[in-house]
Amino acid sequence: MSLILDRRTLVLGMGATLAGCDRLARHDSVREALFSAENFHKWAQRSLMARDALAQEFRPDQISPFFRPNGTANPNTPGYKALWRHGFADWRLKVGGLVDRPLSLSLAQLHHLPHREQITRHDCVEGWSAIGKWRGVPLKLILDGVGLRSDARYIVFRCADDMGGGRPYYESIDLVDAFHPQTILAFALNDQPLRVANGAPLRLRVERQLGYKHAKYLMEIEAVASLKEIGGGKGGFWEDHAGYDWYAGI
Ligand SMILES: Nc1nc2c(c(=O)[nH]1)N[C@H]1C(S)=C(S)[C@@H](COP(=O)(O)O)O[C@H]1N2
Ligand SMILES: [Mo]
């Protein structure tokens, strides 16, 4: 299938491709890979949209009066409480892994980098949505700054909240989403510094994916070649513990 003109052509083209693959698809594992909902979803979304297509942005009058917190609403660990008590002046975002120049960034340093502002809708897998205005630093700026090595394939986010047994929340995205213009490290919601409930002092916004990908309480960003060694190997806390899809495109 070369040129994708519209949904109809896409479906027709796909039929032909799959018919050609019929012999191959008789093998169970190949069939599973070809037809798994997750792979299809990811492939279809990537094929139908330009890779840098923007998520919808909204008008200021559409902002939800209250941005409901979900998941951890306060990490409440001794370490986090100490950071909070000092207004996050001692907090640092570590950026490392497969990069040329690892970094440690303070909130003040992040405030001095170029910002992006976007009014977007957050969709939680549990069935609620909220529109909020986010301000933060494009992740691309940080990744360009540290210099990704050529073997880096994913960006992993580690958070301050303890999900049990000392395991922090974590998430990961691929480089397409990492360099997407609306992927930002947000420190403000609706013109206020991020509240603890919404992920203070810094959280990820990755606007074309569901809520659980938007890691709150960021502590560390790591560039990796594979997700196999991260947590249970599926790339995120809920992916590992509840079977959520790693690619949660909306
Ligand atoms: N560190 C951390 N990040 C997290 C979560 C969490 O529990 N801990 N919950 C996720 C889920 S399921 C959602 S819907 C959003 C909720 O963001 P909000 O609290 O700002 O509404 O954060 C996501 N990021
Ligand atoms: Mo969620």
Side-chain angles (χ1 to χ4, degrees), residues 35-198:
F35 295 98
S36 91
E38 185 180 1
N39 283 350
F40 176 75
H41 189 184
K42 182 171 173 175
W43 173 83
Q45 173 151 358
R46 291 280 158 85
S47 308
L48 287 167
M49 289 181 155
R51 301 213 101 192
D52 55 355
L54 297 180
Q56 185 179 359
E57 297 196 11
F58 295 80
R59 298 186 310 270
D61 62 286
Q62 294 174 298
I63 291 173
S64 306
F66 177 65
F67 202 102
R68 169 186 160 165
N70 202 45
T72 304
N74 188 334
N76 253 322
T77 63
Y80 184 83
K81 277 195 270 195
L83 293 171
W84 172 80
R85 216 175 289 120
H86 297 117
F88 297 106
D90 308 321
W91 171 91
R92 294 292 181 275
L93 178 71
K94 275 180 60 185
V95 187
L98 301 174
V99 304
D100 292 330
R101 299 169 293 275
L103 257 184
S104 169
L105 287 162
S106 70
L107 206 49
Q109 286 172 315
L110 285 164
H111 286 157
H112 282 100
L113 289 172
H115 302 161
R116 189 182 201 282
E117 221 167 59
Q118 57 203 34
I119 302 175
T120 52
R121 194 186 61 219
H122 178 103
D123 295 313
C124 173
V125 74
E126 292 165 30
W128 59 273
S129 297
I131 293 176
K133 176 182 178 182
W134 301 97
R135 183 161 70 243
V137 179
L139 180 57
K140 176 186 191 306
L141 278 184
I142 312 256
L143 297 179
D144 287 344
V146 294
L148 277 191
R149 282 170 32 186
S150 60
D151 46 346
R153 290 287 175 278
Y154 303 95
I155 306 298
V156 176
F157 302 87
R158 295 210 174 74
C159 309
D161 45 339
D162 178 356
M163 302 299 287
R167 289 167 310 179
Y169 195 92
Y170 52 96
E171 258 304 338
S172 61
I173 58 177
D174 65 17
L175 297 186
V176 175
D177 278 317
F179 285 93
H180 185 274
Q182 287 168 320
T183 299
I184 62 173
L185 304 178
F187 48 74
L189 170 58
N190 298 337
D191 298 316
Q192 301 295 320
L194 206 52
R195 300 186 306 146
V196 167
N198 298 113

Side-chain angles (χ1 to χ4, degrees), residues 196-210:
V196 167
N198 298 113
L202 194 74
R203 64 110 42 96
L204 174 67
R205 295 299 308 169
V206 48
E207 302 293 355
R208 293 185 310 171
Q209 294 206 48
L210 288 171

